[in-house]
């Protein structure tokens, strides 16, 4: 497998790194502390083409490959995971799903502004009683002829208050179980659609996570994605690609933790020499670097398979499972290497540690990834 990057991919990585260092880093601590959504930064990401990277230019996207997307996600996640999760949702869950499965009318109306970053989207699957068990949808979309009548609640929705377009999973025919679920497009501002308070979270505190409430919301039939009953299959297909995005985010958090640790270890002195010269610290750095490189190879393998049109379900699940654990391990070690300084905000690593945990939970918990991997290898 060829892991040599093209000139275009390297240029994308450099552009993402410059943006992260120049535009995201200066205010990241303040945004985290005050749970402030990075509105201006997300707007700039749209202008730079980071919000619809893989979408065909015909629909306002960058027409890039998944590897370029992974490289950009890693660089942005090194600095601000709250920004990168918005980027991941918009690219992987919303734009990709609409481009692959949406009608031409849906692409013209919704995909174009989403891919160009003019607006951002949200993906609404989880519910109070339907997280990992996504088949147990309580939100209903009753077929009323020309439209669906949508009722229910969605939980943990990224871009919950800032999105303009929401892809919502709902049960239309309970007797058919998961084959009775539909995916419908809902616009902000529709009558009966309300947004709950922002969640007060451990990490990714700049990301706006909200519950969504639907009370007799009329959704036109033309806003259904795919055939009747395609919703659950749509969600699973979209999440397979989304796992590459979250694996890339986890990789970025881990590599960011390593970069900060290397810098600190070379500068900090103890017992008359830099702590980087102490074997105890060297072993930590060595383990971090090795695990990060292994995670990177798993993520790239999944991305390349997706780009070649090959099955990538197992590879994406493996990448997310492993990279999210590496993010946790590396960020914890980064705090340890920094000692007391690692426990304060100005050195950034405590934020990386808090941000890392969610990568083991959203878009499929680590336990769910193990189930997916086991099913794939037992086929």
């Amino acid at each position: 497998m060829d892991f040599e990057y093209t000139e275009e991919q390297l240029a994308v990585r450099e552009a993402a790194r410059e943006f992260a260092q120049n535009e995201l880093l200066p205010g990241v601590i303040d945004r985290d502390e005050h749970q402030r959504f990075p509105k201006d930064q997300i707007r700039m990401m749209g202008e730079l083409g980071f919000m619809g990277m893989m979408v065909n230019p015909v629909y306002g996207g960058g027409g890039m490959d998944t590897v370029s997307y992974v490289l950009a996600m890693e660089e942005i996640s090194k600095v601000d995971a709250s920004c990168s999760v918005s980027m991941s949702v918009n690219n992987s869950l919303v734009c990709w799903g609409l481009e692959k499965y949406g009608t031409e009318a849906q692409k013209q109306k919704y995909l174009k502004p989403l891919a160009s970053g003019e607006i951002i989207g949200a993906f609404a699957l989880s519910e109070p009683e339907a997280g990992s068990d996504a088949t147990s949808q309580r939100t209903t979309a009753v077929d009323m002829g020309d439209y669906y009548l949508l009722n229910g609640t969605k939980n943990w929705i990224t871009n919950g208050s800032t999105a303009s377009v929401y892809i919502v999973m709902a049960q239309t025919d309970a007797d058919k179980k998961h084959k009775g679920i539909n995916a419908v497009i809902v616009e902000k501002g529709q009558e009966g659609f309300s947004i709950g308070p922002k969640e007060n979270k451990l990490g990714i505190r700049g990301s706006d996570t909200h519950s969504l409430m639907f009370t007799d919301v009329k959704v036109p039939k033309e806003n259904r994605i795919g055939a009747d009953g395609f919703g659950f299959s749509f969600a699973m297909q979209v999440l397979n690609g989304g796992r590459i995005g979250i694996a890339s985010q986890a990789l970025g958090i881990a590599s960011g933790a390593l970069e900060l640790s290397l810098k600190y270890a070379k500068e900090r002195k103890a017992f008359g020499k830099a702590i980087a010269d102490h074997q105890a610290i060297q072993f930590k750095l060595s383990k971090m670097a090795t695990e990060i490189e292994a995670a990177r190879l798993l993520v790239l393998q999944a991305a390349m398979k997706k780009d070649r049109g090959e099955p990538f379900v197992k590879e994406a699940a493996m990448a997310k499972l492993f990279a999210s654990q590496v993010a946790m391990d590396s960020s914890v070690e980064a705090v340890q290497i920094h000692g007391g300084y690692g426990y304060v905000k100005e050195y950034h690593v405590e934020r990386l540690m808090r941000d890392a945990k969610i990568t083991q939970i959203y878009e499929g918990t680590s336990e769910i990834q193990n189930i997916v991997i086991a099913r794939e290898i037992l086929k």
Side-chain angles (χ1 to χ4, degrees):
M1 189 173 289
D2 184 10
F3 287 111
E4 290 294 322
Y5 300 129
T6 66
E7 288 186 10
E8 181 183 11
Q9 289 166 347
L10 290 171
V12 168
R13 183 175 68 179
E14 184 58 30
R17 184 173 182 83
E18 287 184 6
F19 172 76
Q21 296 298 318
N22 297 333
E23 303 295 340
L24 298 183
L25 185 58
V28 66
I29 293 175
D30 182 70
R31 291 193 299 273
D32 172 78
E33 186 170 358
H34 295 98
Q35 304 189 58
R36 186 174 297 117
F37 182 76
K39 181 179 179 180
D40 293 338
Q41 289 75 19
I42 295 292
R43 175 184 53 77
M44 285 187 279
M45 286 167 65
E47 292 171 355
L48 290 169
F50 290 131
M51 299 302 285
M53 293 182 68
M54 297 171 287
V55 175
N56 191 314
V58 171
Y59 300 112
M64 300 178 197
D65 59 10
T66 312
V67 172
S68 296
Y69 169 57
V70 164
L71 295 176
M73 275 290 297
E74 180 182 354
E75 292 300 330
I76 289 170
S77 301
K78 286 179 182 179
V79 176
D80 191 345
S82 294
C83 277
S84 68
V85 71
S86 288
M87 176 179 166
S88 179
V89 167
N90 207 69
N91 275 280
S92 299
L93 302 187
V94 180
C95 286
W96 187 83
L98 280 173
E99 183 171 22
K100 187 168 179 64
Y101 298 108
T103 64
E104 185 60 29
Q106 290 169 353
K107 293 175 186 178
Q108 292 294 335
K109 184 175 182 180
Y110 300 113
L111 182 57
K112 276 191 170 182
L114 284 164
S116 66
E118 180 183 336
I119 61 173
I120 61 174
F123 182 81
L125 174 63
S126 294
E127 298 184 358
E129 296 182 30
S132 293
D133 182 11
T135 60
S136 300
Q137 296 289 300
R138 298 289 183 90
T139 298
T140 58
V142 178
D143 191 338
M144 304 297 287
D146 293 335
Y147 63 91
Y148 291 106
L149 201 61
L150 190 65
N151 283 279
T153 301
K154 294 294 181 180
N155 267 21
W156 319 118
I157 308 304
T158 300
N159 300 338
S161 68
T162 51
S164 299
V165 174
Y166 301 76
I167 298 179
V168 181
M169 308 303 137
Q171 184 68 256
T172 298
D173 189 339
D175 291 337
K176 293 181 179 179
K177 299 182 179 178
H178 71 280
K179 293 183 178 180
I181 294 172
N182 278 309
V184 296
I185 302 169
V186 180
E187 298 177 28
K188 178 183 280 186
Q190 286 188 239
E191 186 177 353
F193 175 23
S194 59
I195 299 168
K198 184 175 182 177
E199 302 290 352
N200 188 4
K201 307 186 298 294
L202 170 73
I204 57 167
R205 288 167 61 82
S207 174
D208 64 320
T209 308
H210 295 257
S211 294
L212 311 177
M213 283 76 75
F214 305 96
T215 305
D216 290 340
V217 177
K218 292 183 178 180
V219 181
K221 273 283 182 68
E222 59 262 31
N223 279 25
R224 186 184 71 205
I225 301 174
D228 186 28
F230 179 64
F232 182 76
S233 180
F234 168 81
M236 294 303 102
Q237 293 297 324
V238 165
L239 285 170
N240 286 332
R243 285 165 186 154
I244 297 176
I246 299 306
S248 304
Q249 181 187 49
L251 175 62
I253 292 170
S255 55
L258 177 59
E259 286 183 7
L260 289 168
S261 297
L262 287 168
K263 182 176 183 293
Y264 182 80
K266 291 174 182 177
E267 295 172 351
R268 174 69 169 170
K269 288 183 168 52
F271 304 104
K273 57 183 177 181
I275 65 170
D277 293 330
H278 292 280
Q279 192 178 69
I281 300 300
Q282 290 175 352
F283 280 12
K284 290 180 183 296
L285 295 170
S286 171
K287 186 173 185 289
M288 290 166 69
T290 302
E291 291 180 348
I292 289 167
E293 198 60 33
R296 180 173 289 110
L297 292 173
L298 281 172
V299 176
L300 286 173
Q301 177 181 236
M304 288 179 174
K305 280 183 171 287
K306 182 173 180 289
D307 284 336
R308 292 198 296 259
E310 299 174 7
F312 63 92
V313 174
K314 178 188 70 177
E315 289 76 13
M318 285 179 169
K320 184 182 183 296
L321 175 67
F322 188 75
S324 61
Q325 185 62 55
V326 172
M328 277 302 303
D329 293 345
S330 296
S331 59
V332 168
E333 286 287 43
V335 172
Q336 191 71 18
I337 289 168
H338 281 72
Y341 292 105
Y343 214 66
V344 297
K345 294 182 182 297
E346 65 182 288
Y347 283 79
H348 298 286
V349 289
E350 64 84 29
R351 186 184 71 258
L352 293 178
M353 186 177 73
R354 289 186 286 107
D355 288 348
K357 184 58 193 173
I358 192 61
T359 66
Q360 296 182 307
I361 298 173
Y362 58 15
E363 294 193 33
T365 64
S366 293
E367 291 76 15
I368 290 295
Q369 302 315 308
N370 275 311
I371 292 171
V372 171
I373 294 164
R375 285 175 178 170
E376 290 295 311
I377 63 177
L378 287 169
K379 280 184 179 179

